[in-house]
Amino acid sequence: MPIITQETAPEKTDAPSPELDFADLFRSYYRRVYNYLSYRVATKEDAEDLISVVFEKAYVHRDQYDSTKGAFSTWLFRIARNTLANHYRTRQRRSAWEADNEITDDFMAAEPQLETQIIRQETIIKLLDGVKQLNERDQEIISLKFAGRLSNDEIGQVMDMTANNVGVVLFRALRRLQKQLQEHAS
Amino acid sequence: MNEQEWAQLLSAQLDEMLEGKAVDFSMVVDELHGPLQLSQQLAAVDFPPSPAAEAAFESQMAKWFGPSVGPTFPATGLSKIGYIHYAIVGLVGVGLGVLFLLSSLLSSGSSEELTPAATLSPTKPETTSESPTLGRPTIDKIVTITPAASPTGVETVVPKVTTSLGDTIQLKPTAVLSDTLPTATLTPPADPLAPAISEPDEPTGGATDASQDDPAGDKADEPSESDTGSDGDHDRGHGNDADGFDEDNPGNSTGLPDNAGGNPSPGDFSQGNGGGSSGNGGQNGGAGGPGSDNGHSKSGDNGKSNGKDKGKGK
């Protein structure tokens, strides 16, 4: 096996070295994909199961990724979205976000006082419950925007929409959510 | 503004908020206050994975890409083998540097250890300038005698000569005083009746001083037989010279032994070394020998007889 040195190594192109860069990309996007899945599923265990499936599919089909056609984030979240869809098809019915969903220790540790922790926990539960009341597209866009931290352009690539259309849908989704929370509070 | 414009404005605000910039609601229209507040709440919601999930993910990564691939691998275009190669080179260099440092420390330590041993106290050089006393030769080497003028006078040096066989020969101590030799000083015994004999003038060079400074010099000042130039006084002034010549009193010499014919007269013992006349008187009186008055007696003349003639038995 010839020794590859810096002189004999292939020139650096836009396409990164597959073995090396995919590992870095997987690690950089792991938390964002996990958060997105947690937004969309009912329990933490479902989210952990789905995350391993998502990255396994990404590793298996990594040679199909073409950087000229889109960013890696859109390619990976498309895999995650398809995996979630398959998950829904295996379940007979979708359950709403459960109020007793476990709040992680990291999230709880961020609040110094127990009272604020409780208030924040209740606020989050209500908010997420309200998101669950929205349609599928609104939930998808809100999850990709706030959990996946994707831009309107990237969301558009994932959902096959334009950036302007994503913005409008997002605006409408947020206004509807605001209205639902005000009605629930009253 | 239509809905699309509001949407575009809201998207711009959301992008800045998600980038970490603070939202100034005073600058935001009322239409967007509600959506922006909800956006802030939704962006704060975080679901961190559990440690088990992270461990499962890391195991997957190790299985797919290997354990050598780290989380923060720089994208320099090198392959995994290249990085390993450079890592090995770096380790070898570090090892060589450590070895060099250890060797330098050891060499400096050894030199420090030798330093105390190399420090020798200066020894007193053995030269002829020393003035050992007689009987205690201290110079064990071949000494080159170099007379040196000393303010204290004569220095006595006991040279030794070491032969090639290693034998040490001690020479007779000699006084070294430039080019002059000390002279003997005669010190007659103290005689209360006899007039004091003035001592001869001190020789140049301070022979007497030498005797005072050096007790051993007294012995050197004692008159020796060789100094008198004669064989010496055999009878020490007792008048019993075998040869009949009284060195102490040449005028009284008879050529015959004084006591050849008889018993010594009392007068013989009464006088010391000067009283030859008494002996003569005694001979006349007691021995019946030849008359003492041989015309040579000058007992009265020399004044040495002190009335002992009476005892002479005339």
Side-chain angles (χ1 to χ4, degrees):
Chain A
M1 176 181 244
I3 297 175
I4 300 175
T5 60
Q6 191 174 8
E7 297 176 351
T8 59
E11 294 180 358
K12 182 179 180 182
T13 58
D14 294 337
S17 175
E19 297 297 333
L20 192 61
D21 293 345
F22 269 110
D24 293 340
L25 289 172
F26 282 8
R27 287 192 173 89
S28 63
Y29 281 97
Y30 176 79
R31 287 293 299 274
R32 293 164 63 177
V33 175
Y34 183 86
N35 214 21
Y36 162 75
L37 294 174
S38 299
Y39 255 80
R40 300 289 287 127
V41 296
T43 62
K44 183 183 292 185
E45 290 75 15
D46 292 339
E48 293 177 357
D49 294 338
L50 290 175
I51 189 71
S52 62
V53 175
V54 168
F55 279 99
E56 187 173 1
K57 287 182 179 181
Y59 177 76
V60 170
H61 302 285
R62 63 188 186 279
D63 55 347
Q64 298 178 7
Y65 167 69
D66 188 359
S67 60
T68 60
K69 293 184 179 180
F72 180 81
S73 59
T74 56
W75 180 77
L76 185 63
F77 274 94
R78 187 173 292 183
I79 295 174
R81 188 165 176 261
N82 294 334
T83 305
L84 187 61
N86 295 334
H87 171 73
Y88 289 148
R89 277 196 284 273
T90 59
R91 295 176 68 107
Q92 292 182 358
R93 64 186 181 93
R94 289 178 56 209
S95 61
W97 183 265
E98 298 176 0
D100 57 351
N101 190 16
E102 179 183 358
I103 303 299
T104 61
D105 295 337
D106 296 339
F107 186 77
M108 293 289 286
E111 299 295 335
Q113 299 179 0
L114 182 61
E115 183 178 357
T116 54
Q117 292 177 1
I118 296 173
I119 294 173
R120 183 158 183 82
Q121 183 177 356
E122 293 177 351
T123 304
I124 291 173
I125 292 173
K126 291 179 181 178
L127 183 62
L128 295 178
D129 196 19
V131 171
K132 296 297 183 184
Q133 301 299 319
L134 299 175
N135 57 31
E136 188 68 24
R137 189 178 67 171
D138 291 345
Q139 295 181 31
E140 191 74 15
I141 289 176
I142 289 176
S143 300
L144 292 173
K145 185 67 177 180
F146 298 104
R149 295 288 199 270
L150 298 180
S151 63
N152 289 353
D153 292 336
E154 294 175 336
I155 294 174
Q157 295 180 7
V158 172
M159 299 182 65
D160 296 328
M161 298 170 59
T162 63
N164 290 334
N165 194 16
V166 171
V168 173
V169 172
L170 181 61
F171 177 71
R172 292 175 181 175
L174 290 173
R175 290 184 66 180
R176 281 195 283 271
L177 180 59
Q178 180 183 7
K179 186 175 180 179
Q180 287 181 1
L181 293 175
Q182 290 175 354
E183 292 176 355
H184 185 77
S186 62
Chain B
M1 289 180 70
N2 56 15
E3 184 180 47
Q4 187 173 3
E5 292 174 350
W6 290 115
Q8 291 177 353
L9 189 58
L10 178 63
S11 296
Q13 293 289 339
L14 289 178
D15 291 339
E16 293 181 356
M17 181 186 66
L18 293 176
E19 291 176 357
K21 295 179 182 180
V23 178
D24 188 2
F25 287 92
S26 61
M27 300 299 294
V28 179
V29 296
D30 295 339
E31 188 70 20
L32 299 180
H33 277 193
L36 282 175
Q37 290 179 352
L38 286 176
S39 299
Q40 284 186 333
Q41 295 177 4
L42 291 171
V45 176
D46 185 26
F47 295 97
S50 61
E54 289 183 340
F57 175 70
E58 289 297 331
S59 65
Q60 271 186 320
M61 295 295 291
K63 184 176 66 174
W64 296 333
F65 305 103
S68 62
V69 178
T72 58
F73 227 90
T76 59
L78 293 176
S79 64
K80 179 172 62 176
I81 295 174
Y83 279 105
I84 293 172
H85 174 73
Y86 279 102
I88 292 171
V89 170
L91 288 173
V92 170
V94 169
L96 290 174
V98 170
L99 287 174
F100 176 77
L101 182 62
L102 288 175
S103 63
S104 63
L105 289 174
L106 289 174
S107 63
S108 64
S110 61
S111 65
E112 289 177 355
E113 292 176 359
L114 290 175
T115 301
T119 302
L120 300 175
S121 58
T123 58
K124 190 176 182 181
E126 299 179 359
T127 61
T128 58
S129 61
E130 296 179 354
S131 59
T133 58
L134 286 176
R136 292 184 293 165
T138 60
I139 301 174
D140 295 327
K141 296 181 179 179
I142 298 176
V143 178
T144 303
I145 300 174
T146 56
S150 170
T152 60
V154 177
E155 293 182 348
T156 306
V157 176
V158 181
K160 282 186 178 179
V161 177
T162 305
T163 63
S164 60
L165 298 178
D167 298 334
T168 302
I169 301 173
Q170 180 178 353
L171 303 177
K172 181 180 288 186
T174 58
V176 177
L177 176 64
S178 63
D179 294 332
T180 60
L181 295 176
T183 58
T185 57
L186 301 178
T187 309
D191 189 353
L193 298 178
I197 301 174
S198 62
E199 294 181 355
D201 294 335
E202 292 181 358
T204 60
T208 305
D209 295 335
S211 63
Q212 292 176 355
D213 296 335
D214 189 2
D218 293 339
K219 296 182 181 178
D221 292 336
E222 291 180 358
S224 62
E225 297 179 357
S226 60
D227 296 336
T228 56
S230 61
D231 295 339
D233 187 3
H234 300 285
D235 65 343
R236 299 288 179 180
H238 293 166
N240 296 325
D241 294 25
D243 55 0
F245 177 78
D246 188 0
E247 294 81 1
D248 298 328
N249 191 7
N252 201 25
S253 299
T254 55
L256 295 175
D258 294 337
N259 57 353
N263 297 326
S265 62
D268 295 336
F269 305 102
S270 60
Q271 283 186 335
N273 49 2
S277 60
S278 61
N280 295 329
Q283 294 175 354
N284 294 331
S292 60
D293 188 3
N294 52 8
H296 297 286
S297 173
K298 295 180 180 179
S299 61
D301 295 338
N302 55 16
K304 294 183 179 181
S305 62
N306 49 4
K308 296 182 180 177
D309 293 336
K310 295 179 181 180
K312 303 298 180 184
K314 275 192 177 176

